[in-house]
Amino acid sequence: MNFVNIKNAPTFNRLVFAVLFLLSHVASALEIDFSKRAKDIERLKSEIRAPASDMAVQIQESVPNLSSLTYSFTEPAAEIVMIETADGFIPSSISLKQGQSYKIHIVNINADKKNLSFVLDAFSQHHAIYFNQPQKIELSPKVEGVFDFECPETGHKGQFVVVPAKPHSLPARSTASQN
């Protein structure tokens, strides 16, 4: 198979030579010269270098004395998600432990009423619940009992049931066959 016509061979050879010549000049133009930046690089290197003893002193000054620190360990806050729909809150009843911390995330997915409220008077909690924007509420119930919450715009209600942290012990029971 001969792709090059013999009559056009000198033209083809010139074309190939021209392309190779252009490519060689383009390749040399793509080289990057960093020699102008050498002084800047050396200056930055000298600023970064510091004697090891100076660094050790700086680290000691920035770290506090660990023996003087005291920490109180508490249980992490439990996280609960509530959804407000056109039919009400899901879940509408939530059990909480007395003394435990909670982060409650309320999300309004009621497309008909996009701006709603969440009212929990017993804990002085009053929040706007906007469509598709989670609202975070933090609770730490100290007293056991049943506490109602509501959405005044829709009339939907629910309740938090706060139970003691340690359940009351029941009296020992004997089996029915022993009575």
Side-chain angles (χ1 to χ4, degrees):
M1 298 183 116
N2 191 357
F3 294 107
V4 179
N5 189 350
I6 302 279
K7 294 177 188 176
N8 295 329
T11 308
F12 179 74
N13 289 341
R14 284 186 205 137
L15 180 65
V16 169
F17 179 74
V19 168
L20 290 174
F21 180 76
L22 287 174
L23 287 176
S24 68
H25 287 306
V26 169
S28 65
L30 294 177
E31 293 178 13
I32 300 172
D33 182 21
F34 286 109
S35 63
K36 296 177 183 178
R37 299 285 181 204
K39 291 179 184 176
D40 292 336
I41 292 171
E42 288 302 318
R43 182 182 51 81
L44 290 173
K45 284 181 182 178
S46 66
E47 288 177 5
I48 292 172
R49 289 187 200 123
S53 60
D54 291 346
M55 291 180 76
V57 170
Q58 289 174 355
I59 290 172
Q60 282 182 337
E61 291 174 355
S62 65
V63 176
N65 183 0
L66 295 179
S67 62
S68 66
L69 298 176
T70 58
Y71 297 98
S72 60
F73 295 100
T74 59
E75 286 187 43
E79 298 202 32
I80 299 170
V81 176
M82 287 176 42
I83 301 172
E84 188 166 358
T85 67
D87 297 327
F89 289 100
I90 299 174
S92 60
S93 181
I94 299 174
S95 294
L96 306 175
K97 285 185 183 177
Q98 180 182 1
Q100 171 73 36
S101 295
Y102 294 92
K103 290 181 184 175
I104 300 169
H105 304 273
I106 303 172
V107 182
N108 174 13
I109 60 169
N110 186 348
D112 296 332
K113 298 193 178 197
K114 298 187 180 206
N115 299 325
L116 299 174
S117 301
F118 177 82
V119 177
L120 177 60
D121 282 330
F123 291 90
S124 298
Q125 298 284 337
H126 305 90
H127 300 278
I129 310 295
Y130 301 111
F131 181 72
N132 216 14
Q133 294 180 5
Q135 175 69 34
K136 182 174 79 169
I137 298 170
E138 295 186 12
L139 293 178
S140 295
K142 305 225 182 310
V143 179
E144 60 184 277
V146 178
F147 304 97
D148 295 327
F149 59 85
E150 68 175 332
C151 173
E153 292 84 5
T154 60
H156 298 140
K157 296 184 180 204
Q159 60 187 3
F160 289 117
V161 179
V162 180
V163 297
K166 296 179 182 176
H168 302 292
S169 59
L170 298 173
R173 293 180 45 166
S174 59
T175 55
S177 60
Q178 293 176 355
N179 289 337

